[in-house]
């Protein structure tokens, strides 16, 4: 409740890869995050709704509806919301340039931060050669990814019973399989080059579910991550600084603080 009453106010919020409409979406954690943060401008950086999965079978529980309603409520309260479709919600690319009930639809955006720096904001699938030129392979990869998430769900059920924290099998594999590491590096390099082509100081993207911030390619590279594995978002503060928020870590820190404070409260009561 306290999160709703005293949200953290930021200048800009960047979210991507929510994958609403799939069983892997961490909608409960996402809703808690949206209650904890308010922003002047919100960028939805693609793959917000998973059209690929919804085509094969409808899945839209109340928690996913709550997330959509929460975002719309922020628009009604005055937030600017810009939706940049990705490959999983590519059906919305037929409506680029249209304003739908206060939601601006665009292929990409150039965001000017509070310190005057400019950032290209784009989902990133446009620079994924697998998605662009071998859609059947992308769908096959998506199936393997879904299988990994299925295994991950039951693995984490066991971990919870053992008192252990959430652990992502697919994230672990990404950082240890050589081809996956090379793919991530090449993707980052291509996006950095596109930012330079737009004469921007950096790029903010999603798509590969790998949250990170660095400047290894001459411009700022910011990937917002996702709300399937990592539960991450990027916020811009009013001084123009950017922060990668790892929501699972935030929740763990709060739980640890509460546990540490609990004995003190009981001693005081005694």
């Amino acid at each position: 409740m306290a999160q709703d009453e005293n949200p953290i106010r930021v200048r800009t919020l960047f979210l991507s890869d929510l994958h609403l409409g799939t069983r892997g979406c961490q909608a409960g954690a996402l809703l808690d995050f949206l209650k904890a943060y308010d922003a002047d401008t919100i960028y939805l950086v693609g793959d917000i709704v998973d059209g690929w999965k919804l085509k094969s079978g409808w899945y839209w529980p109340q928690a996913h509806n709550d997330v959509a309603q929460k975002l719309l409520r922020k628009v009604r309260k005055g937030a600017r919301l810009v939706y940049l479709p990705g490959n999983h919600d590519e059906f919305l690319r037929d409506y680029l340039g249209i304003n739908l009930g206060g939601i601006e639809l665009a292929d990409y955006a150039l965001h000017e931060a509070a310190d005057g720096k400019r950032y290209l904001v784009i989902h990133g699938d446009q620079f994924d050669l697998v998605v662009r030129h071998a859609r059947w392979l992308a769908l096959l990869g998506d199936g393997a990814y879904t299988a990994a998430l299925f295994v991950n769900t039951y693995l984490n059920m066991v971990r919870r019973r053992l008192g252990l924290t959430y652990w992502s099998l697919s994230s672990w594999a990404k950082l240890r399989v050589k081809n996956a590491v090379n793919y991530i590096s090449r993707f980052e390099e291509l996006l950095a080059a596109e930012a330079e082509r737009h004469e921007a100081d950096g790029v903010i993207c999603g798509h590969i579910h790998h949250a990170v911030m660095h400047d290894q390619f001459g411009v700022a590279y910011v990937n917002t991550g996702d709300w399937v594995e990592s539960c991450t978002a990027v916020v811009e503060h009013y001084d123009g600084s950017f922060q990668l928020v790892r929501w699972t870590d935030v929740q763990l820190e709060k739980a640890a603080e509460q546990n540490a404070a609990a004995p003190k409260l009981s001693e005081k009561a005694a």
Side-chain angles (χ1 to χ4, degrees):
M1 292 296 290
Q3 289 174 342
D4 264 324
E5 294 168 4
N6 300 297
I8 299 168
R9 188 83 198 181
V10 294
R11 186 171 186 265
T12 318
L13 170 60
F14 301 86
L15 289 163
S16 78
D17 298 272
L18 311 187
H19 290 277
L20 295 169
T22 70
R23 296 182 186 277
C25 173
Q26 302 291 327
L30 176 55
L31 189 60
D32 287 341
F33 173 81
L34 291 173
K35 289 176 181 177
Y37 281 86
D38 272 340
D40 299 341
T41 301
I42 301 170
Y43 286 96
L44 299 179
V45 194
D47 285 1
I48 305 305
V49 176
D50 198 318
W52 290 10
K53 283 291 183 294
L54 290 173
K55 275 184 182 178
S56 60
W58 187 259
Y59 178 77
W60 195 268
Q62 184 60 45
H64 293 209
N65 201 55
D66 291 342
V67 168
Q69 289 298 323
K70 186 64 175 176
L71 287 167
L72 291 173
R73 199 172 300 124
K74 289 181 182 293
V75 173
R76 290 196 295 271
K77 289 183 177 180
R80 179 191 176 207
L81 196 152
V82 184
Y83 193 144
L84 313 169
N87 50 307
H88 283 259
D89 45 16
E90 61 191 350
F91 61 92
L92 288 172
R93 286 178 171 158
D94 292 336
Y95 306 98
L96 296 179
I98 293 176
N99 188 307
L100 295 175
I103 302 173
E104 303 170 32
L105 286 166
D107 193 34
Y108 68 90
L110 285 169
H111 172 72
E112 185 172 338
D115 59 5
K117 291 183 178 179
R118 296 167 72 247
Y119 294 84
L120 171 68
V121 189
I122 190 168
H123 181 63
D125 65 292
Q126 301 92 329
F127 301 89
D128 184 339
L129 296 179
V130 172
V131 171
R132 290 186 65 184
H133 302 297
R135 184 177 173 84
W136 66 271
L137 187 57
L139 290 168
L140 179 64
D142 186 61
Y145 179 66
T146 300
L149 290 177
F150 178 80
V151 172
N152 210 61
T153 298
Y154 289 96
L155 176 63
N156 278 288
M157 284 174 62
V158 175
R159 287 178 63 85
R160 278 195 299 272
R161 288 175 182 172
L162 295 173
L164 301 174
T165 57
Y166 179 84
W167 182 77
S168 174
L169 170 65
S170 49
S171 289
W172 175 85
K174 278 181 190 175
L175 297 177
R176 283 158 182 78
V177 178
K178 184 178 179 181
N179 287 345
V181 173
N182 290 341
Y183 165 80
I184 290 170
S185 179
R186 180 58 177 155
F187 177 83
E188 293 176 350
E189 187 176 4
L190 288 171
L191 266 293
E194 183 66 8
E196 289 184 323
R197 191 178 74 81
H198 283 270
E199 299 182 347
D201 299 289
V203 60
I204 301 170
C205 61
H207 185 54
I208 60 172
H209 295 205
H210 183 61
V212 72
M213 294 173 61
H214 64 69
D215 57 0
Q216 295 173 11
F217 300 107
V219 298
Y221 172 87
V222 179
N223 194 300
T224 62
D226 66 282
W227 287 84
V228 177
E229 303 170 57
S230 56
C231 295
T232 53
V234 170
V235 299
E236 179 203 354
H237 296 288
Y238 284 97
D239 61 357
S241 64
F242 285 79
Q243 177 190 2
L244 177 60
V245 179
R246 297 185 182 275
W247 188 241
T248 302
D249 291 348
V250 171
Q251 296 297 76
L252 285 172
E253 288 173 9
K254 286 181 179 178
E257 289 173 3
Q258 289 171 357
N259 288 337
K264 295 178 183 178
L265 291 172
S266 61
E267 287 170 15
K268 188 174 180 181

